[in-house]
Amino acid sequence: MYVIAGLGNPGSKYEKTRHNVGFQVIDRLASKYHIDMNTKKHKAICGTGVIEGVKVLLVKPQTFMNLSGESIREAVDFYKVDPETEFLVIYDDISLAPGHLRIRKKGSAGGHNGIKNIILHLGTQVFPRVRVGVGEKPEGYDLADYVLGHFQGDEKKLMEEAYDRAAAAVAEILTDGPDKAMNDFN
């Protein structure tokens, strides 16, 4: 079992905001691989299925972003997966241009509160991640208002393409490992 978590905030108020790109990628994976996201457990909406021959649990934590680690910890413990090799997280990154991807095998939270909470709950920074760029906060904007805002204009098309590329990157991580995906998608 491989646990794949996409970060976001629950509720229609937050749908398709910058902070919810992780949910968008999970939705792409669920659609492409015919995985029903209809199970509520581990403080999340989950779906079990197979991606490119690998059994997976897709997870959309419903704890709100800053408490994502609570949900992730429950899933990781329940399935007894090693966070360093059988867990992957997808989330938004304001330090990347809209639509750009950055895959890493480990790293700090980089100021992302959802990742900070996951690191706290897992007790390690060593786990693969797919960061999806949402663009830098404009001068004078409040960070929370920015990441909870919606994409505008040309950004929408860029992000739709990014969700597909991020889903392809996840599939490649599962089949060929993060190093190959880093070479192909970074």
Side-chain angles (χ1 to χ4, degrees):
M1 177 67 74
Y2 207 106
V3 174
I4 302 169
L7 301 189
N9 284 310
S12 58
K13 174 181 173 182
Y14 300 106
E15 279 182 24
K16 298 189 179 182
T17 61
R18 288 176 180 86
H19 229 11
N20 276 37
V21 299
F23 280 12
Q24 292 289 106
V25 176
I26 292 292
D27 290 344
R28 291 293 165 97
L29 288 164
S31 176
K32 181 175 182 179
Y33 293 98
H34 310 290
I35 298 171
D36 289 327
M37 296 294 295
N38 57 8
T39 304
K40 291 183 181 177
K41 61 182 177 180
H42 314 303
K43 298 178 185 170
I45 295 173
C46 303
T48 305
V50 177
I51 295 177
E52 303 300 330
V54 179
K55 189 170 182 183
V56 300
L57 176 73
L58 299 180
V59 178
K60 291 168 52 174
Q62 300 296 291
T63 53
F64 286 95
M65 182 67 77
N66 295 354
L67 300 175
S68 297
E70 293 177 10
S71 171
I72 303 301
R73 179 87 242 179
E74 281 189 27
V76 164
D77 285 351
F78 183 83
Y79 290 99
K80 297 175 178 52
V81 301
D82 179 351
E84 295 182 15
T85 59
E86 300 166 314
F87 168 67
L88 169 67
V89 65
I90 307 152
Y91 62 98
D92 61 294
D93 190 328
I94 61 168
S95 66
L96 296 172
H100 286 221
L101 301 182
R102 183 71 29 110
I103 300 165
R104 292 285 183 257
K105 294 192 287 188
K106 62 182 178 179
S108 70
H112 194 286
N113 289 329
I115 298 300
K116 280 182 193 173
N117 195 256
I118 292 171
I119 290 169
L120 174 73
H121 282 273
L122 293 182
T124 182
Q125 297 184 70
V126 182
F127 51 84
R129 56 204 67 197
V130 176
R131 296 166 25 210
V132 182
V134 297
E136 198 172 334
K137 169 185 81 68
E139 188 72 32
Y141 268 69
D142 175 72
L143 181 59
D145 289 342
Y146 180 69
V147 296
L148 296 177
H150 292 84
F151 295 103
Q152 303 298 318
D154 292 341
E155 286 180 331
K156 288 180 183 180
K157 184 174 186 270
L158 281 174
M159 295 312 297
E160 291 298 319
E161 293 167 0
Y163 303 145
D164 289 334
R165 282 195 336 279
V170 168
E172 188 165 309
I173 290 168
L174 294 175
T175 58
D176 299 323
D179 289 324
K180 175 93 167 70
M182 286 164 56
N183 285 335
D184 292 343
F185 290 93
N186 283 356

